[in-house]
Amino acid sequence: MSPVTLALIGLAVLFLLMFLRMPISFSMLIVGFLGLLVVASPKAAFNVLTADLWNQFSSYTMSVIPLYILMGEIVFRTGVNESLFNAAYKWLGRLKGGMAATVVLASTGFAAICGSNSATAAAMGTMALPELKKYRYDQTFSAATVAAGGTLGVIIPPSTVLIVIALQTEQSVRQLFVASVIPGLLLTLLFLGTVFFLCQRNPELGPDGPRVSLKEKLSSLPGFVPSLLLFAFVIGGLFLGWFTPTESGAFGAFGAMLISLAMRKLNADNLKAALFGTLKSSTMVITLVIGAMVFGRFLAITRLPYEVADWASSLQVPPVLILVAILLVYLAGGALMDALGFLIISIPIFYPTVISLGYDPIWFAVVLCIVTSAGAITPPVGVTVFVVKGLSPEVSLMSIFQRASVFLISYAVLLSLLVAFPQIITSVVR
């Protein structure tokens, strides 16, 4: 039996184990290890489990994952983001759809110091949904806006997804963070345009709020300061080369703690919750990376990724059509299962293919992150929709998915721009 056939059998077994509800990380670990036993040798399989894993996870750069997660957890648990939301509302609440636009802007600000779509959706939903209801906003529209805004958490740096992609493709975390800023801001503008357009067409979705004096608006500006300071120091310092991504994460976690202490929002209870949340999330991500590493070694030995790349390169069709087909696979994968898990499974297969077609690796990594985040509001497993549903039990799950699907148009527009003008990403890091 050829190695490629064994790889295809391994993929079939992997999806079977996932269908039987075995965690993705353990599914990849088992299939990858058994595949190495068959294709290579027991010595090679056990060597991957010992020496290779130790070399990978004793590296200094791996600590960036728990550090950025800790920063986001502290900000989320202590409620530092409340002042950000209140300040944004003072400036936009008077407009039709202004409160919903406030949610998008506040989500952007929180995403810049968080790195998680579910945490961004939970934080914004907890604060915003009661306020939107109070100002007679349509509850389904409100929930969909919070869910869509939450997806910004994995695009705007720091992003856990971008860190994992960087580790898997052996790219610079710093370069991916720099490259994702402009696409993240463009998506924010597209979301704002969607909100205002919908509310102008149907004012009942988001009626205008009370007037706020200029004095009140100006007095709210300090509410932006904590988030701006943290973002400017952590991400700005990273962009300017003051410190490495790992040092950036450490400064970010320490800065979030100092800000929370200065605002008198940090206590023993929420610090404990932040530490436990960090431990849980970090363990999940790192376990996924372990499984992906073993499974990736198995695929590399069978040469399946390179066979797929050679086959795609030989097709007599424009490379952009192959790219679109791959992105549709990622959108479908992100809609059917955990997006991060699907990324980790599929990158070893599709990344060599896209690079062989001549696309820039940094550009593809950012595009991949954007497509994956779109899966967070796509049924049946849109993670941010499920988070918001938990905060709005009176709104049906399918109605949130239906409303949130409008925001997928913004994703389509952004991806079209990035495909047509890749320099939006590449010019920033060259």
Side-chain angles (χ1 to χ4, degrees):
M1 191 178 294
S2 70
V4 172
T5 303
L6 287 172
L8 294 174
I9 293 173
L11 285 170
V13 174
L14 174 65
F15 283 105
L16 176 62
L17 292 176
M18 288 163 46
F19 178 76
L20 295 174
R21 297 187 179 277
M22 178 178 283
I24 297 171
S25 53
F26 295 120
S27 301
M28 289 190 294
L29 182 63
I30 291 171
V31 173
F33 177 72
L34 294 177
L36 287 169
L37 282 175
V38 175
V39 177
S41 66
K43 182 179 179 180
F46 282 105
N47 188 61
V48 168
L49 284 182
T50 54
D52 285 7
L53 287 184
W54 170 254
N55 290 334
Q56 177 75 16
F57 289 100
S58 62
S59 67
Y60 173 69
T61 54
M62 279 300 296
S63 57
V64 70
I65 294 175
L67 288 172
Y68 275 126
I69 292 176
L70 178 59
M71 179 177 69
E73 283 284 339
I74 291 174
V75 171
F76 172 49
R77 303 289 178 180
T78 57
V80 170
N81 48 318
E82 290 179 15
S83 58
L84 177 68
F85 178 82
N86 292 331
Y89 166 67
K90 296 289 187 183
W91 288 87
L92 292 175
R94 182 72 183 95
L95 304 173
K96 285 184 175 64
M99 282 288 289
T102 297
V103 171
V104 174
L105 286 177
S107 296
T108 304
F110 186 68
I113 51 176
C114 175
S116 166
N117 53 17
S118 56
T120 302
M124 292 300 108
T126 302
M127 288 187 308
L129 290 175
E131 294 296 314
L132 292 168
K133 185 176 182 180
K134 183 170 70 177
Y135 289 109
R136 307 186 312 279
Y137 272 60
D138 180 86
Q139 287 183 272
T140 304
F141 174 67
S142 301
T145 303
V146 172
T151 64
L152 295 167
V154 297
I155 300 175
I156 297 175
S159 164
T160 306
V161 170
L162 282 174
I163 293 172
V164 171
I165 292 175
L167 291 172
Q168 277 207 284
T169 59
E170 299 182 350
Q171 294 192 66
S172 163
V173 174
R174 175 185 172 276
Q175 284 191 318
L176 293 190
F177 278 7
V178 173
S180 66
V181 171
I182 293 178
L185 295 177
L186 285 175
L187 186 60
T188 298
L189 293 175
L190 289 168
F191 279 179
L192 289 173
T194 300
V195 165
F196 286 127
F197 175 75
L198 291 175
C199 291
Q200 286 295 325
R201 289 192 59 188
N202 184 2
E204 292 183 1
L205 292 179
D208 50 347
R211 293 185 179 276
V212 178
S213 67
L214 179 61
K215 182 179 179 180
E216 288 180 285
K217 289 181 179 180
L218 294 176
S219 65
S220 72
L221 288 178
F224 290 107
V225 172
S227 299
L228 287 176
L229 278 178
L230 194 57
F231 177 78
F233 183 62
V234 175
I235 305 302
L238 179 65
F239 289 177
L240 294 173
W242 292 350
F243 32 68
T244 66
T246 303
E247 293 167 346
S248 170
F251 278 116
F254 183 64
M257 196 173 296
L258 285 181
I259 289 173
S260 301
L261 284 170
M263 297 178 69
R264 298 182 180 180
K265 291 179 177 289
L266 186 65
N267 54 46
D269 289 337
N270 50 37
L271 178 59
K272 181 180 177 181
L275 291 173
F276 272 105
T278 300
L279 183 62
K280 182 178 178 181
S281 298
S282 300
T283 303
M284 182 271 291
V285 174
I286 290 173
T287 306
L288 276 171
V289 176
I290 290 174
M293 183 179 176
V294 177
F295 187 70
R297 291 282 194 277
F298 163 59
L299 291 181
I301 289 178
T302 63
R303 293 195 56 80
L304 176 64
Y306 310 105
E307 294 291 338
V308 173
D310 291 342
W311 173 77
S313 301
S314 66
L315 293 176
Q316 299 301 312
V317 296
V320 68
L321 294 182
I322 300 175
L323 174 69
V324 170
I326 291 174
L327 295 181
L328 289 175
V329 170
Y330 274 101
L331 181 62
L336 293 171
M337 59 181 285
D338 174 73
L340 184 58
F342 184 76
L343 263 178
I344 287 177
I345 293 171
S346 56
I347 282 177
I349 300 173
F350 292 119
Y351 180 75
T353 303
V354 174
I355 301 307
S356 72
L357 295 173
Y359 289 99
D360 184 88
I362 294 176
W363 176 87
F364 181 61
V366 175
V367 167
L368 208 54
C369 182
I370 293 169
V371 174
T372 302
S373 68
I377 53 173
T378 308
V381 192
V383 61
T384 60
V385 173
F386 276 92
V387 169
V388 173
K389 168 60 180 173
L391 299 172
S392 303
E394 68 277 8
V395 183
S396 74
L397 184 66
M398 286 312 299
S399 65
I400 301 176
F401 271 123
Q402 289 171 356
R403 274 294 179 199
S405 64
V406 178
F407 291 93
L408 291 175
I409 298 174
S410 298
Y411 273 103
V413 172
L414 176 62
L415 289 169
S416 299
L417 287 172
L418 295 180
V419 172
F421 306 102
Q423 57 269 28
I424 293 174
I425 295 174
T426 56
S427 61
V428 180
V429 291
R430 291 290 182 260

